């Protein structure tokens, strides 16, 4: 805290910008505080010496006639600055039907706070009851945005056509004792910084960080911890528990260091942002921030019953298209881009953001169009999880020109095809060429589809081939939680086994699905640890498992070195084979046409789309390499002989065969061995890629 004892003075402040801003005003250095509250009758700004202080050392009463304009309350406090802890108490009417839930005893976090700290005595249960939480309340912290040296490191600005996304959890990536990251960096921003060489060696171009907006770890049932972080307290502050010393100020500094060093390594940073709900829950949840300032401005509340709408499945739903909330979301995105140098965003349950104040889906949602067209955000990647918890599913129909989408259809169709389901081939084929059945009508770019088969939510890739049923008993919900629709298979035994035949099939299926992701048009995404068969023991909803169930086990990098080599090879090949040609075309229609896509079966130009078919083969021409490439996807359980397409003056060379043991499962373009026969015996449940070479 920056404080000169006995010299604090207050002056008339400014309503803009919102939050706590270190600045010079009235010829004094200090902090301008500004918050929104339409219906408040009294606002108190409280200054604390640190997060553990049970009482403020100074309470400032913001007088409505002096410190209020419109619906904004503000004051300038001289001779305080970076590191100053503060909070608010707000008095007003209590009328749930009008969205008024004021409690003058609650210490409130600033909605625009750049840093937040929880005292050791923080108690979510107490915060959920009426009355004072002053002693154990969370504190906001003033941050001076000009104190960090970015060293003029430019952002990578990787074209989306060249992007490979790696979804990871900051804590889980290095928290395991075998990560070789020493305390206090283990499980923190600086722990991830130490692993940049690993990410670089893998070949990914962007990390997508699971939520790091300050969240409430206690927002979980049965005395468990909220590990994933989809429980934000506010939308600006980096999560303080990922700082090496647990403080909010250090969290800001160390996150900036991480971003700067990732940028030096030419790796972009995307944030998984949660704007659809907060940790305050419904009427029974705690009052920590938004509820205490103006609940009806931030949440969808039924004006007849006072009940919170719940399209998020988490107890409340943000009123994202209401003016106050909409502006705050845009301000938060601007903050992460301009002050924190973030390169992109993945929007959790983004379809919620398309609903109006009563929850009805909007044809032209103003927030989503604002994000799509915002000049500050125009250089960022924006990715939608294009569905919500109340059944709104918008994959292929999400609004906007720039929005990219998690392609849930890709995930499901790839799983079903390789599992050997009936009637899967005809649905699988479009996924390989950018899902034109979903995206071509709107003339979207080829990268619109974010292609993945596993993510944080659901089975890991390893567990997808080891378990037919979820095993979530550790979550304390009697295995009721988590999705029952996993499209998984165990190939003869539930869980780990010593059966060599089963293990061979499982490894091959992992390679098949990874090869599909990285050879398909669109933008590929890999989830933390899938490159080395990370397992969660069949838990498909590990949101509350801050333990070895969720953590990256670094011993796998050695024991699964062959698979790691295979994934690195896939990423390297992606940059050189025809899917890279998608970057030179404006729309998916152009790409499919100019790649000369042709479909085959076991015989050239004779595709089989029958319900019983388990085979898809496709050839395409690379205008950059002046060569053809041919992909064989054999999901049938037995070997099949494929007659190879013939191109005058060319020979085929083997790039990938997932049935082969390492190192003969994948080659570089320069080392691919020649195929001397006109036909090829392809092992059951395997993926083959060949490239043509002129004689």
């Amino acid at each position: 805290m920056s404080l000169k004892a006995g010299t604090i003075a207050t002056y008339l402040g400014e309503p803009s910008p919102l939050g706590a801003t270190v600045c010079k005003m009235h010829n004094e250095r200090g902090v301008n505080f500004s918050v929104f509250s339409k219906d408040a009758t009294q606002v108190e700004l409280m200054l604390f010496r640190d997060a553990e202080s049970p009482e403020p050392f100074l309470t400032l009463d913001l007088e409505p006639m002096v410190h209020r304009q419109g619906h904004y309350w503000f004051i300038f406090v001289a001779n305080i600055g970076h590191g100053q802890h503060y909070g608010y108490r707000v008095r007003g009417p209590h009328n749930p039907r009008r969205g008024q839930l004021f409690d003058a005893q609650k210490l409130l976090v600033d909605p625009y706070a750049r840093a937040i700290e929880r005292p050791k005595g923080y108690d979510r249960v107490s915060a959920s009851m009426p009355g004072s939480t002053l002693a154990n309340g969370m504190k906001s912290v003033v941050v001076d945005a000009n104190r960090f040296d970015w060293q003029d490191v430019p952002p990578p600005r990787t074209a989306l056509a060249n992007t490979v996304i790696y979804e990871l959890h900051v804590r889980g990536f290095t928290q395991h004792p075998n990560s070789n990251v020493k305390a206090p960096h283990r499980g923190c921003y600086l722990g991830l910084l130490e692993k940049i060489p690993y990410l670089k060696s893998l070949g990914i171009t962007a990390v997508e960080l699971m939520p790091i907006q300050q969240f409430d770890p206690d927002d979980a049932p049965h005395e468990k911890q909220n590990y994933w972080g989809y429980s934000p307290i506010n939308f600006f502050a980096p999560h303080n528990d990922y700082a090496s010393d647990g403080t909010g100020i250090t969290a800001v500094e160390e996150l900036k260091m991480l971003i700067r060093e990732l940028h030096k390594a030419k790796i972009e940073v995307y944030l998984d942002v949660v704007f659809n709900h907060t940790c305050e829950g419904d009427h029974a949840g705690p009052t920590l921030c938004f509820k205490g300032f103006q609940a009806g401005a931030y949440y969808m509340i039924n004006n007849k019953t006072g009940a919170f709408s719940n399209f998020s499945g988490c107890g409340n739903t943000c009123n994202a298209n209401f003016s106050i909330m909409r502006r705050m979301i845009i301000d938060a995105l601007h903050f992460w881009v301009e002050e924190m140098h973030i390169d992109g965003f993945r929007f959790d349950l983004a379809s919620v953001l398309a609903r109006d104040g009563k929850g009805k889906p909007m044809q032209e949602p103003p927030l989503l169009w604002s994000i799509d067209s915002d000049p500050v955000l125009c250089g960022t990647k924006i990715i939608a999880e294009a569905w919500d918890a109340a059944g709104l599913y918008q994959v292929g129909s999400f609004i906007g020109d720039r929005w990219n989408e998690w392609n849930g259809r890709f995930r499901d169709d790839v799983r079903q095809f390789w599992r050997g389901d009936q009637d899967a081939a005809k649905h699988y084929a479009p996924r390989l060429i950018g899902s034109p059945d979903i995206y071509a009508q709107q003339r979207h770019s080829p990268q619109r589809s974010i292609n993945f088969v596993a993510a944080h939510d659901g089975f890991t890739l390893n567990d997808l081939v080891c378990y037919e049923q979820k095993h979530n008993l550790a979550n304390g919900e009697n295995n009721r939680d988590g999705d029952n629709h996993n499209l998984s298979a165990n190939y003869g035994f539930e869980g780990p086994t010593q059966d060599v035949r089963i293990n061979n099939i499982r490894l091959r299926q992992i390679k098949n699905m990874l090869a599909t992701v990285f050879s398909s048009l669109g933008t590929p995404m890999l989830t933390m640890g899938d490159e080395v068969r990370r397992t969660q023991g069949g838990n498909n909803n590990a949101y509350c498992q801050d333990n070895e169930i969720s953590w990256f086990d670094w011993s796998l990098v050695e024991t699964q070195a062959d698979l790691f080599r295979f994934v690195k090879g896939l990423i390297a090949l992606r940059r050189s084979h025809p899917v890279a040609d998608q970057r030179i075309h404006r729309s998916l229609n152009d790409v499919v046409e100019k790649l000369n896509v042709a479909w085959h079966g076991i015989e050239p130009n004779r595709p089989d789309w029958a319900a019983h078919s388990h085979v898809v083969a496709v050839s395409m021409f690379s205008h950059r390499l002046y060569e053809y490439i041919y992909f064989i996807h054999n999901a049938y359980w037995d070997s099949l002989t494929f007659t190879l397409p013939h191109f005058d003056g060319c020979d085929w060379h083997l790039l990938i065969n997932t049935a082969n043991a390492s190192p003969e499962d994948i080659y570089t373009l320069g080392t691919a061995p020649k195929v001397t026969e006109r036909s090829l015996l392809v092992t059951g449940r395997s993926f083959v890629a060949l490239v043509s070479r002129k004689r």
Side-chain angles (χ1 to χ4, degrees), residues 43 125 145 170 184 209 217 229 263 270 273 278 306-307 367 372 401 417 437 504 531 570 605 617 635 647 659 676:
V43 174
V125 174
V170 169
L209 306 182
H263 283 178
Y270 307 162
V273 288
T278 77
L367 173 62
D372 186 274
D401 300 318
F417 174 79
D437 56 328
N504 286 341
E531 71 276 16
L570 287 174
N605 301 305
F647 298 106
T676 58

Side-chain angles (χ1 to χ4, degrees), residues 300 332 374 426 607 657:
M300 296 182 190
D374 190 287
K426 66 182 181 183
N657 188 339

Side-chain angles (χ1 to χ4, degrees), residues 18 35-39 68-73 294 324:
L18 284 161
V35 294
F36 167 86
S37 185
K38 177 182 177 181
D39 295 328
R68 178 176 182 172
Q69 288 182 10
H71 305 319
Y72 298 94
W73 302 72
Q294 191 77 41
I324 301 303

